[in-house]
Amino acid sequence: QVQLVESGGGLVQAGGSLRLSCAASGITFGSFAIGWYRQVPGKQRELVADISTGSRTNYADSVKGRFTISRDNANNTAFLQMNSLRPEDTAVYSCNARKWDYTYWGQGTQVTVSS
């Protein structure tokens, strides 16, 4: 059974930092691309950052220079380091693992940034 479990969300003041983790099980983690997405109620889910199997990274313009995605294949975990957080970063953050036609999602973790 495939599971992706996010953790590390919470409440932080503007300018603060959080580190999200995405722990995977049931897949050969290193062969999957990993993405972090976020969604605000009433809006479409948006890609925040992704990382390929070769650790090539891609970021949304809104988070470039503030967020860093990484992966630890030995421990089947991906991370999203979020610095200089802004109130507009408030959302539910979910991780996604994809390979060919296979796509798996975690349940999400809430990030709230107060002004």
Side-chain angles (χ1 to χ4, degrees), residues 7-20:
S7 61
L11 174 63
V12 64
Q13 287 191 330
S17 298
L18 285 174
R19 189 191 196 206
L20 304 185

Side-chain angles (χ1 to χ4, degrees), residues 27-101:
I27 58 172
T28 308
F29 184 77
S31 67
F32 280 73
I34 302 297
W36 282 99
Y37 290 74
R38 65 187 181 188
Q39 189 168 25
V40 175
K43 292 190 176 181
Q44 277 196 324
R45 182 165 53 196
E46 64 171 348
L47 175 67
V48 176
D50 59 22
I51 185 167
S52 70
T53 56
S55 293
R56 184 175 65 250
T57 59
N58 173 58
Y59 297 92
D61 287 343
S62 59
V63 307
K64 280 180 182 175
R66 300 189 297 124
F67 291 10
T68 302
I69 188 171
S70 60
R71 64 189 302 159
D72 178 355
N73 291 339
N75 290 295
N76 295 342
T77 304
F79 304 97
L80 185 68
Q81 178 67 44
M82 305 188 296
N83 299 329
S84 302
L85 283 161
R86 304 167 180 169
E88 54 264 38
D89 294 319
T90 295
V92 174
Y93 285 72
S94 302
C95 65
N96 160 286
R98 63 188 186 280
K99 174 184 176 181
W100 301 332
D101 292 337

